[in-house]
């Protein structure tokens, strides 16, 4: 039974998740294009060409990752040199570059402000369409990573997935105030631009998260201290601090209801300071003096043991060659 299960997993892997990922991507792009074409004009259907580019890139990335992981599943005894491929952060960056402009157009050209519940593509439909970015990130992330269950690597991937998806949903919740027909709130020009700007920035930050994940490998290698601190500061300065300030302004000046995400912003600020402290403290990542790699404190010594034998072998080979070169001279002197 175990062999049959392993064979099924090896042959089919995460095919349903990958298919669902592409379907959700196509569905979101089609709905956004429909929204622009219906409320503006048919010329905006030109965004379909951009959607085709994104879908082709994601298809290539997901198929490549499936083929790689399938070889690993079919050969369980083979060494696993890595559990991710470098296409995830590239795929998301291209997606964000073509997704964010449409979001900005929908809100700046007051399409969202004029939507009512009586419209076929009303505010709830638009919110659901935008919120599809969260499951898209999850499907893309797990489609490119195959960390072993119950491992530290798997726990790190799960933590990253949870944090980034919450940030995406946080930004979409903040955009609710821009649906004027629902909120009945007229914001100042500067505050409206601030909300839209920081909400759009959030969709680019998963690129940094996916790139950071490439530096945290299953052999204990992690991102450098400087990159780890920068990563935490980015999410603090571009997400949680601005969102917290904006929500406090909406609460005190515009008498809006307090969002539960305000507490989320406070909690993640605390976690961000904790991550920075851990990176800079005595238990932070350590750099290997031999290969210049940065590793988790618990993995630095096992890694040095792997680096040291190679150097010792090279020194030993060099010593053997030098001794061999001396032999003819000593033999000649004895004669």
């Amino acid at each position: 039974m175990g062999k049959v299960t392993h064979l099924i997993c090896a042959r089919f892997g995460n095919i349903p998740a990958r298919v669902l990922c592409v379907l959700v991507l196509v569905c979101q792009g089609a709905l956004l294009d429909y929204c622009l074409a219906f409320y503006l004009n048919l010329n905006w259907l030109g965004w379909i060409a951009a959607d085709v580019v994104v879908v082709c890139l994601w298809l290539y990335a997901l198929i490549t990752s499936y083929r790689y992981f399938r070889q690993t599943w079919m050969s369980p005894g083979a060494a696993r040199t890595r559990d991710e491929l470098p296409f995830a952060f590239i795929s998301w960056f291209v997606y964000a570059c073509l997704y964010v402009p449409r979001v900005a157009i929908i809100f700046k050209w007051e399409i969202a402000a004029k939507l009512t519940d009586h419209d076929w593509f009303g505010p709830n439909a638009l919110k659901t369409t935008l919120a599809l970015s969260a499951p898209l990130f999850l499907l893309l992330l797990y489609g490119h990573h195959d960390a072993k269950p119950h491992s530290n690597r798997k726990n790190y991937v799960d933590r990253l997935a949870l944090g980034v998806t919450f940030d995406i949903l946080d930004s979409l919740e903040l955009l609710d105030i821009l649906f004027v027909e629902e909120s009945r709130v007229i914001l100042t020009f500067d505050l409206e631009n601030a909300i839209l700007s920081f909400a759009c920035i959030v969709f680019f930050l998963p690129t940094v998260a996916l790139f950071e994940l490439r530096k945290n490998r299953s052999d204990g290698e992690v991102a450098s201290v400087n990159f780890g601190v920068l990563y935490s500061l980015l999410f603090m300065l571009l997400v949680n601090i601005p969102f917290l300030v904006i929500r406090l302004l909406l609460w005190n000046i515009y008498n809006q209801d307090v969002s539960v995400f305000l507490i989320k912003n406070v909690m993640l600020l605390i976690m961000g300071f904790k991550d920075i402290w851990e990176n800079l403290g005595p238990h932070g990542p350590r750099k290997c003096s031999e290969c210049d790699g940065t590793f988790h404190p618990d993995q630095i010594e096992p890694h040095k043991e792997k680096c040291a034998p190679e150097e010792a072998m090279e020194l030993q080979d060099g010593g053997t060659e030098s001794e061999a070169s001396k032999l003819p001279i000593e033999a000649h002197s004895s004669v």
Side-chain angles (χ1 to χ4, degrees):
M1 183 64 180
K3 293 182 178 180
V4 174
T5 304
H6 177 78
L7 184 61
I8 293 175
C9 292
R11 287 194 173 276
F12 298 101
N14 292 329
I15 289 181
R18 287 173 168 82
V19 172
L20 181 61
C21 180
V22 175
L23 291 178
V24 173
L25 181 64
V26 172
C27 180
Q28 185 188 52
L31 289 173
L32 289 176
D33 295 341
Y34 168 80
C35 179
L36 292 174
F38 183 79
Y39 290 102
L40 296 178
N41 56 66
L42 295 179
N43 293 332
W44 292 95
L45 289 177
W47 278 102
I48 294 176
D51 291 331
V52 172
V53 173
V54 176
V55 170
C56 290
L57 177 61
W58 282 45
L59 275 173
Y60 174 77
L62 292 169
I63 291 174
T64 303
S65 65
Y66 169 74
R67 288 177 176 175
Y68 174 80
F69 293 138
R70 185 173 180 271
Q71 293 177 357
T72 305
W73 296 326
M74 294 295 289
S75 304
R80 296 178 57 159
T81 57
R82 56 180 180 173
D83 65 351
E84 57 87 23
L85 293 172
F87 300 112
F89 78 96
I90 298 175
S91 301
W92 185 269
F93 179 74
V94 175
Y95 162 79
C97 288
L98 299 176
Y99 171 80
V100 167
R102 283 179 283 185
V103 175
I105 291 170
I106 288 173
F107 284 95
K108 287 302 294 181
W109 291 25
E110 297 185 351
I111 296 176
K114 298 176 182 178
L115 293 179
T116 64
D117 292 331
H118 301 290
D119 297 325
W120 180 84
F121 193 85
N124 289 330
L126 179 57
K127 293 175 187 178
T128 304
T129 301
L130 298 177
L132 291 177
S133 297
L136 269 177
F137 176 80
L138 282 179
L139 294 170
L140 179 68
L141 175 65
Y142 288 117
H144 281 75
H145 294 269
D146 188 36
K148 294 181 179 179
H150 313 297
S151 63
N152 292 332
R153 170 72 168 181
K154 183 65 166 59
N155 294 333
Y156 183 82
V157 172
D158 291 340
R159 179 188 172 187
L160 178 68
L162 184 64
V164 172
T165 50
F166 264 106
D167 286 334
I168 293 175
L169 295 176
D170 188 6
S171 66
L172 295 175
E173 196 274 341
L174 194 62
L175 288 174
D176 274 354
I177 196 71
L178 301 182
F179 289 87
V180 179
E181 290 293 332
E182 285 189 342
S183 63
R184 300 293 180 181
V185 177
I186 304 298
L187 304 177
T188 63
F189 182 77
D190 293 336
L191 183 56
E192 179 182 339
N193 283 341
I195 292 174
L196 184 58
S197 299
F198 283 111
C200 289
I201 288 173
V202 168
F203 291 101
F204 285 100
L205 291 181
T207 306
V208 183
L210 291 170
F211 182 81
E212 198 270 348
L213 188 61
R214 295 183 66 237
K215 294 294 184 179
N216 288 269
R217 301 186 180 278
S218 54
D219 59 356
E221 185 179 3
V222 297
S224 64
V225 174
N226 293 334
F227 189 88
V229 172
L230 176 64
Y231 175 79
S232 299
L233 285 175
L234 279 176
F235 278 86
M236 291 171 62
L237 297 176
L238 297 178
V239 181
N240 293 298
I241 291 179
F243 284 13
L244 177 61
V245 173
I246 290 172
R247 286 194 167 97
L248 290 175
L249 291 175
L250 293 175
W251 179 16
N252 290 279
I253 297 178
Y254 294 91
N255 297 319
Q256 293 298 299
D257 294 337
V258 179
S259 170
V260 294
F261 281 99
L262 183 144
I263 304 302
K264 171 260 179 188
N265 298 142
V266 175
M267 292 174 59
L268 289 187
L269 280 175
I270 296 173
M271 294 178 63
F273 282 115
K274 178 177 176 292
D275 290 339
I276 293 175
W277 176 261
E278 290 179 350
N279 272 284
L280 298 176
H283 300 292
R286 297 182 182 179
K287 194 171 184 179
C288 177
S289 58
E290 308 298 339
C291 64
D292 291 333
T294 307
F295 293 84
H296 190 275
D298 296 337
Q299 299 294 328
I300 186 65
E301 294 301 329
H303 171 74
K304 286 183 177 180
E305 292 178 359
K306 294 179 181 179
C307 283
E310 295 179 359
E311 291 196 349
M313 186 174 296
E314 292 178 358
L315 292 175
Q316 184 177 358
D317 293 339
T320 304
E321 292 177 359
S322 62
E323 291 178 1
S325 62
K326 293 179 182 179
L327 287 178
I329 300 175
E330 293 177 355
H332 179 74
S333 61
S334 62
V335 172

